[in-house]
């Protein structure tokens, strides 16, 4: 579960990491009052669970309380990568001398965590990592040992961070461990003009498997979920929203993950992960298509099914029945393989829907879906 920025900052503050004073509101009028309390001049930041807010116009500086109200009114209701802005955070600005990047992320393949840090933080850290990878330090962290002051010193030295960041690195690890997080990130971590180390932004992803330990944070109130993820969860679907244009539906987590990789290899970006599991009844398919098609960024949908216990003709029947209840507005590419695949393809051919086409291989289906999503 991804937290909003203001929630991540609250965690940082609880663990002794300094953050600028800030408040959250969904009201432009209240934004004026908050700005007055914070000293007049504020940074107004959209609170959505996605990146790229600044480039989308979701982060702006307001010179006074009146400007804060106007800016909040402009940002509230914005669509940023499919996320509607419902709240804004107003923060007291700081005079920045240097910007850094620090994070801890779970490295599943290696069975450990990875510390990632750079002396060149800010909005273009991805470009720095891509064009000058030597400027970004990647230090493995043994979960059993954790980040001690000695380990933090090695991370800071490798990344070219000042010694005063060592304490923050230790505390950030404490956030990850004590809050059951899979990712903690500060971008930027700054040294201010008056020589303080401060976190200006934060990203935290909590482990859903530890949700029973987080009742005190209201993790089950639904307010932290992407609307599409919340809608899918209500229907019992295993759905994760991604930033892409090809909707993906498959049966089995491994198959869906492989499909995401193949779509990406065809030059398109997956819009979601959706595993319908072993059963593909008409209702399950209808629910899945409804959720995927509710994403305005989706330009085409790829259904990739390997028939096993649930035969392909039953899956195809589910798709046909779903098309009677869901209005299909974007092309749907279906690949059926395995048990009763030929019968399943015949069922779809008999439906003759103008927006439904079939492919016999996963690569072929992915190429077609990617073309349909990216063609002008």
């Amino acid at each position: 579960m991804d937290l909003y920025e203001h929630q991540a900052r609250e965690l940082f503050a609880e663990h002794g990491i300094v953050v600028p004073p800030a408040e959250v509101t969904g009201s432009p009028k209240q934004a004026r009052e908050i700005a007055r309390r914070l000293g007049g001049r504020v940074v107004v930041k959209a609170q959505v669970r996605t990146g790229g807010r600044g480039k989308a116009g979701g982060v702006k500086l307001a010179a006074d309380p009146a400007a804060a109200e106007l800016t909040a009114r402009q940002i509230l209701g914005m669509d940023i990568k499919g996320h509607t802005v419902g709240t804004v955070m107003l923060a007291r600005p700081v005079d920045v001398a240097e910007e850094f990047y620090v994070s801890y992320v779970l490295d599943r393949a290696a069975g450990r965590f990875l510390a990632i840090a750079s002396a060149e933080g800010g909005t273009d850290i991805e470009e720095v990592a891509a064009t000058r990878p030597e400027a970004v330090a990647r230090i493995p962290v043994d979960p059993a040992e954790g980040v001690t002051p000695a380990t933090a010193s090695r991370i800071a030295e490798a990344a070219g961070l000042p010694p005063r960041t060592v304490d923050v690195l230790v505390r950030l690890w404490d956030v990850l461990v004590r809050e059951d997080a899979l990712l903690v990130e500060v971008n930027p971590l700054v040294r201010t003009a008056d020589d303080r180390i401060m976190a200006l932004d934060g990203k935290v992803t909590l482990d859903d498997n530890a949700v029973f330990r987080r009742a005190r944070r209201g993790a089950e109130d639904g307010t932290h979920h992407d609307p599409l993820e919340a809608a899918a969860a209500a229907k019992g679907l295993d759905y994760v929203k991604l930033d892409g244009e090809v909707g993906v539906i498959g049966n089995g987590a491994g198959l869906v993950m492989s499909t995401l990789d193949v779509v990406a290899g065809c030059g398109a970006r997956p819009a979601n992960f959706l595993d319908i599991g072993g059963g593909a009844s008409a209702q399950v398919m209808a629910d899945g298509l409804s959720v995927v098609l509710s994403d305005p960024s989706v330009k085409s949908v790829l259904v990739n099914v390997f028939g096993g216990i649930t035969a392909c003709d039953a899956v195809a029947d589910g798709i046909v029945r779903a098309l009677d209840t869901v209005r299909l507005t974007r092309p749907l590419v279906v690949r059926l393989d395995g048990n009763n695949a030929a019968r399943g393809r015949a069922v779809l051919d008999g439906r003759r829907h103008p927006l439904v086409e079939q492919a016999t291989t996963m690569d072929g289906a992915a190429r077609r879906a990617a073309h349909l999503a990216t063609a002008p």
Side-chain angles (χ1 to χ4, degrees):
M1 180 179 70
D2 294 333
L3 298 186
Y4 290 109
E5 177 194 3
H6 70 90
Q7 295 168 325
R9 286 164 48 103
E10 289 169 6
L11 286 185
F12 293 165
E14 289 179 17
H15 290 268
I17 299 172
V18 180
V19 296
E23 296 184 43
V24 180
T25 183
S27 163
K29 186 176 181 180
Q30 288 180 358
R32 178 192 287 257
E33 297 303 316
I34 291 172
R36 184 175 291 113
R37 288 196 294 271
L38 292 175
R41 186 167 174 263
V42 293
V43 181
V44 185
K45 308 180 76 174
Q47 296 300 283
V48 287
R49 295 166 57 246
T50 188
R53 294 174 301 166
K55 293 181 179 179
V59 178
K60 295 182 178 180
L61 183 66
D64 53 50
E69 178 178 353
L70 177 61
T71 302
R73 195 177 303 279
Q74 293 170 340
I75 294 177
L76 288 166
M78 283 180 60
D79 181 276
I80 300 178
K81 295 183 179 179
H83 298 255
T84 302
V85 180
T87 58
V88 293
M89 184 183 74
L90 292 87
R92 183 179 296 164
V94 300
D95 190 0
V96 175
E98 292 182 280
E99 293 187 342
F100 317 115
Y101 173 92
V102 296
S103 71
Y104 297 117
V105 62
L106 177 62
D107 184 347
R108 294 184 185 275
R112 63 192 178 192
F113 283 88
L114 190 65
I116 304 175
S118 175
E120 302 181 33
T123 57
D124 294 323
I125 184 63
E126 292 85 359
E127 183 178 343
V128 171
T131 59
R132 291 186 297 107
E134 70 279 1
V136 181
R138 295 171 172 83
I139 310 298
V141 177
D142 183 347
E145 178 184 349
V147 176
T148 64
T151 304
S153 294
R154 289 198 299 271
I155 295 169
E157 183 178 357
L161 306 181
R164 291 191 58 200
T165 62
V166 168
D167 180 65
V168 173
L169 290 170
V170 173
R171 293 178 184 273
L172 197 63
W173 177 260
D174 196 46
V175 172
L176 182 135
V177 173
R178 294 183 179 276
E179 303 299 335
D180 298 304
L182 301 174
L183 164 73
V184 292
E185 175 185 274
V186 182
N187 187 31
L189 178 71
V190 304
R191 182 179 67 83
T192 66
D194 57 356
D195 205 31
R196 291 181 296 163
I197 301 297
M198 188 176 294
L200 296 195
D201 199 348
K203 182 177 181 181
V204 174
T205 300
L206 302 179
D207 185 355
D208 288 339
N209 293 310
V211 69
F212 66 94
R213 290 202 289 259
R214 296 199 300 269
R216 65 187 178 91
R217 299 204 180 280
E220 293 299 303
D221 64 6
T223 59
H224 302 166
H225 288 285
D226 176 90
L228 288 175
E229 291 181 355
K235 298 176 184 295
L237 297 172
D238 189 3
Y239 172 94
V240 178
K241 175 77 171 69
L242 303 172
D243 294 326
E245 56 281 330
V246 178
V248 176
I249 302 174
N251 63 329
L255 180 62
V256 179
M257 291 297 291
S258 298
T259 306
L260 301 184
D261 290 340
V262 175
V263 168
C266 292
R269 298 176 303 161
N272 65 271
F273 170 105
L274 176 53
D275 175 16
I276 59 174
S281 67
Q283 188 59 55
V284 169
M285 289 302 307
D287 289 343
L289 285 172
S290 176
V291 170
V292 171
L293 292 171
S294 296
D295 183 350
S297 64
V298 168
K299 306 304 180 186
S300 69
V301 180
L302 170 58
V303 175
N304 187 19
V305 170
F306 187 88
I309 296 175
T310 301
C312 287
D313 55 340
V315 174
D317 185 62
I319 294 173
V320 168
R321 291 177 183 273
L323 292 174
D324 292 332
T325 59
V326 177
R327 182 170 176 265
L328 188 61
T329 57
R330 278 149 281 183
L332 175 68
V333 180
V334 181
R335 177 254 184 173
L336 299 176
D337 198 6
N339 186 11
N340 282 353
R343 293 182 185 178
R345 296 185 196 117
V347 169
L348 291 178
D349 286 339
R351 180 63 171 78
R352 298 180 182 276
H353 194 290
L355 289 178
V356 177
E357 53 186 273
Q358 297 190 65
T360 56
T361 67
M362 181 164 69
D363 288 346
R367 281 195 299 270
R368 182 56 179 162
H371 173 75
L372 290 168
T374 57

